[in-house]
Amino acid sequence: MTLRTPLRPLARILQARQDGLNPDSIEKENLRLRHEAMREKARGRAQFRLVILCASFVVAFGAIGARMGLMAATEPQEPRASAPGAEIIAQRADITDRNGRVLATNMTTHALYAHPKVMVDPRGSARKLAEIFPELDAKALERRFTDGRSFVWVRKVLSPEQMQAVHEIGDPGLLFGPREMRLYPNGTLAAHVLGGTSFGAEGVHSAEVIGTAGIEKAMDARLRDPAQGGKPLTLSLDLTLQATVEEVLAAGMGMLNAKGAAAILMDARTGEILALASLPTFDPNNRPNPLVDKDAEPGDSPLFNRAVQGVYELGSTFKIFAAAQAMELGLVTPETMVDANAPMIWGKHKIKEFEGKNYGPLLSVSDVIAKSSNVGTAHIALMIGPLRQQAFLKSLGFFEPTPVELVEAPGAKPLIPKKWPEIVTITTSYGHGMSASPMHLAAAYAAIANGGVMIKPTLLKREGPTTGVRVMSEKTAMEAVRMLRRVVTEGTASLGDVPGYEVAGKTGTADKPKKTGGYYKDKVVNTFASMFPASNPQYVLIVTLDEPQDDTLSVTRRTAGWTAVPVAAEIIRRVAPLMGLRPKLEPPAADAVTAASN
């Protein structure tokens, strides 16, 4: 606390009066001394503030100078927006197959842009650019160069040859911006799995690469996550198996004049998809535009993934589900005889066999599957009943989209009847009136192959044990596999037998529905759902052909046994050795053994 001296101290005033002096002079002198002290204090404070201000200017200008020097000594970089999330992230992780082989990676390229205000010859440059890039309109480009704009994008991606050709134009207003683009080194291979990418946020010196379809879009956040440190996304696909499946499927599609085809090869124990093909296909390096024709069917576009998005009636491939459920419920055994007398009359409906056959009056459950009897399957389904049938099909995943990691999968919801009377129970048991995708079928057949456990299919390589929900006992699954094996050795899929690999499976031929109602009589979707080897099922293969027909003989054949089955057999014949499966030596038939003596 500061003590202030009084302007008129009493002692001095009294002394001044005794001495005959003027007391007011004491007050004036004290006031003068006080003002001088205040001025000195204010002068000191002002000097301190000036020193601080000068020091601040020195530090600020020093920092600015250092930053300018640093910027002058480094490569020019595009300024980045400071808003959260506005920064352009160009780096995108690679995608590899299960063995580390690259399916998608990044490549450094350049974009072409123009500063029209510094161009020497806008009209001449527009004409020359149109010669280099035929898809550009010279007049439109000239108009953009001369309408007063200060910036014009010309081309988002250039090849080295195109870049050199633009260099040779020599106009200083034509500039190049480095950037990364997505490269698919295997071309069309696994195109529907990979999907494709495009540019998102763009700048002169970089562009954001974002997924537009397939796993590129479904796993976009993972592929762009800086926290992953560029770690590749490893898929469950095997590049060699994928190439083999696509090659055989394309050959079969061509030979059988099919409109389209799909195939899925899955590890039944883990749910890993080793190969997934859909034809016709496309090159993700140059992804085509979607069809705009209102009358075109979705499957007419090469972008349509038939294996996942294709929702079809899968025909007789469903029959094994009715047999398996009836065995699981204890209603039948493989040897139980059921009514197979055709045709079967149910109300106003008539259930017939293929080509008007009659397998009756009775068939064993095993023979119902081997001969693919609609009537026998219908009677088995009636034993089960609508509610239990729905519950079982739901447990196999037929009421929801498949959880596979493709952006197209959630939209491929099965077509389920709104009501479920007994006639729907009958038709659904042999795969009519309810539609699902080949991916749904692959997952359900995998549950039979692996001993009765429903495992979610995946396109990502799985590490460690896989868990699932048990939907049937191991005994029931084994009995179902034996029945499917008989379909190949004795039934409708005899062309699917691959010596040494014990193929088991079920054919399915379904008439294609018309948009106006009813079904075509000369258009079908054929499916062969198979597993191998039957003695210890490890793999599931689904092959689907859209509108195939075999014209090698005088009579056109459209059933799955003549179309989808031979294609699947050739795939198995080629991929089984690639997966390390050794053929099982089967003993020759008794009549093939010849006695010999020395």
Side-chain angles (χ1 to χ4, degrees):
M1 181 176 178
T2 304
L3 297 177
R4 300 183 63 183
T5 302
L7 297 177
R8 297 175 65 86
L10 181 59
R12 291 189 61 190
I13 293 296
L14 294 175
Q15 184 64 42
R17 285 177 178 173
Q18 289 181 359
D19 296 341
L21 300 176
N22 185 4
D24 292 338
S25 62
I26 296 174
E27 181 180 0
K28 292 179 180 179
E29 177 65 17
N30 286 338
L31 187 61
R32 181 185 66 78
L33 292 174
R34 179 178 294 181
H35 286 168
E36 285 183 0
M38 292 172 65
R39 282 195 295 271
E40 288 296 328
K41 187 175 182 180
R43 184 181 299 111
R45 187 182 296 112
Q47 289 176 345
F48 177 76
R49 290 176 177 174
L50 285 174
V51 170
I52 295 297
L53 183 61
C54 289
S56 299
F57 274 109
V58 170
V59 171
F61 280 103
I64 293 172
R67 179 62 179 164
M68 291 177 65
L70 180 63
M71 292 178 66
T74 58
E75 292 292 329
Q77 291 184 357
E78 179 185 359
R80 297 187 182 275
S82 59
E87 182 178 357
I88 296 177
I89 302 175
Q91 186 64 37
R92 188 177 182 86
D94 289 351
I95 299 177
T96 67
D97 81 339
R98 63 187 304 108
N99 299 311
R101 290 172 288 192
V102 175
L103 297 173
T105 187
N106 304 314
M107 182 180 74
T108 301
T109 183
H110 289 82
L112 174 62
Y113 61 97
H115 286 166
K117 293 185 178 180
V118 299
M119 293 181 72
V120 175
D121 182 12
R123 292 177 174 81
S125 295
R127 177 176 51 80
K128 293 177 182 177
L129 287 172
E131 293 175 358
I132 299 172
F133 308 108
E135 70 276 9
L136 296 180
D137 186 310
K139 291 184 179 179
L141 198 58
E142 178 184 329
R143 185 166 55 252
R144 295 169 66 197
F145 285 167
T146 57
D147 62 2
R149 305 185 194 196
S150 59
F151 181 91
V152 175
W153 277 116
V154 179
R155 178 93 172 189
K156 301 298 179 68
V157 176
L158 301 178
S159 68
E161 294 79 10
Q162 291 169 335
M163 186 175 177
Q164 181 59 36
V166 175
H167 264 303
E168 293 172 358
I169 295 177
D171 196 310
L174 297 176
L175 303 170
F176 303 97
R179 63 179 57 197
E180 283 187 341
M181 66 171 287
R182 201 63 161 166
L183 176 67
Y184 302 93
N186 303 295
T188 61
L189 198 63
H192 288 91
V193 173
L194 298 170
T197 57
S198 63
F199 290 122
E202 293 187 81
V204 171
H205 296 293
S206 63
E208 186 180 44
V209 181
I210 60 174
T212 57
I215 206 162
E216 286 275 25
K217 186 169 184 178
M219 303 296 291
D220 188 62
R222 157 65 177 83
L223 291 165
R224 297 168 58 197
D225 186 2
Q228 295 291 333
K231 181 182 177 182
L233 178 67
T234 303
L235 302 189
S236 60
L237 297 184
D238 184 303
L239 195 61
T240 303
L241 300 179
Q242 179 74 29
T244 303
V245 170
E246 289 193 20
E247 179 184 355
V248 177
L249 191 66
M253 176 179 162
M255 291 176 63
L256 296 166
N257 305 302
K259 182 179 179 181
I264 300 169
L265 179 62
M266 179 188 292
D267 187 322
R269 298 159 299 182
T270 65
E272 292 174 300
I273 298 167
L274 304 176
L276 186 153
S278 175
L279 299 176
T281 188
F282 64 95
D283 187 347
N285 291 298
N286 187 24
R287 185 178 170 85
N289 294 321
L291 295 180
V292 294
D293 186 357
K294 294 182 180 179
D295 296 328
E297 296 181 6
D300 293 338
S301 171
L303 300 177
F304 186 72
N305 187 344
R306 294 172 181 271
V308 174
Q309 292 175 282
V311 178
Y312 313 107
E313 290 186 357
L314 295 168
S316 297
T317 59
F318 263 45
K319 290 176 180 175
I320 192 63
F321 302 137
Q325 184 179 13
M327 289 189 294
E328 183 70 12
L329 293 172
L331 301 175
V332 299
T333 67
E335 293 75 31
T336 301
M337 304 302 289
V338 297
D339 187 353
N341 203 28
M344 172 185 175
I345 306 301
W346 191 264
K348 62 180 180 179
H349 303 281
K350 181 183 290 187
I351 313 302
K352 298 183 292 185
E353 302 289 10
F354 177 66
E355 294 182 339
K357 296 179 181 178
N358 184 3
Y359 300 112
L362 297 174
L363 277 179
S364 69
V365 172
S366 183
D367 283 336
V368 166
I369 300 301
K371 296 180 182 294
S372 196
S373 170
N374 293 337
V375 175
T377 307
H379 283 290
I380 294 173
L382 289 174
M383 297 181 198
I384 298 169
L387 294 178
R388 292 194 293 192
Q389 184 189 46
Q390 288 181 71
F392 186 64
L393 292 177
K394 186 176 292 185
S395 71
L396 293 174
F398 283 111
F399 278 55
E400 297 294 335
T402 57
V404 70
E405 299 86 355
L406 292 176
V407 72
E408 297 84 2
K413 189 172 183 178
L415 302 180
I416 310 297
K418 294 181 179 179
K419 297 181 180 179
W420 208 285
E422 288 185 327
I423 187 60
V424 171
T425 297
I426 290 172
T427 58
T428 299
S429 70
Y430 52 81
H432 287 266
M434 174 180 175
S435 300
S437 71
M439 184 62 72
H440 285 96
L441 193 62
Y445 265 67
I448 296 175
N450 67 28
V453 178
M454 187 67 191
I455 296 175
K456 294 180 179 179
T458 181
L459 280 163
L460 303 180
K461 185 178 180 180
R462 280 182 167 155
E463 304 291 346
T466 306
T467 59
V469 178
R470 180 164 290 282
V471 293
M472 68 184 77
S473 67
E474 189 171 353
K475 179 182 178 182
T476 298
M478 290 175 61
E479 294 288 0
V481 172
R482 292 192 188 101
M483 291 182 186
L484 294 174
R485 175 61 178 156
R486 282 196 63 204
V487 175
V488 176
T489 58
E490 306 173 29
T492 59
S494 58
L495 294 179
D497 197 18
V498 181
Y501 293 107
E502 302 177 293
V503 179
K506 185 71 189 74
T507 54
T509 302
D511 294 331
K512 290 189 71 173
K514 297 179 180 179
K515 291 183 178 180
T516 56
Y519 291 85
Y520 291 103
K521 293 185 178 180
D522 59 348
K523 295 181 180 180
V524 295
V525 175
N526 288 351
T527 304
F528 182 48
S530 61
M531 57 189 71
F532 59 97
S535 57
N536 180 25
Q538 298 178 48
Y539 303 101
V540 166
L541 174 66
I542 307 294
V543 172
T544 299
L545 297 175
D546 188 358
E547 298 184 21
Q549 56 184 41
D550 181 3
D551 296 321
T552 55
L553 298 178
S554 57
V555 179
T556 298
R557 294 172 295 193
R558 296 188 177 90
T559 60
W562 290 102
T563 57
V565 171
V567 175
E570 183 60 24
I571 291 176
I572 294 172
R573 186 176 291 110
R574 295 198 190 186
V575 301
L578 297 175
M579 294 187 290
L581 288 179
R582 293 186 177 183
K584 183 178 180 181
L585 297 179
E586 300 178 7
D591 57 1
V593 178
T594 302
S597 61
N598 293 328

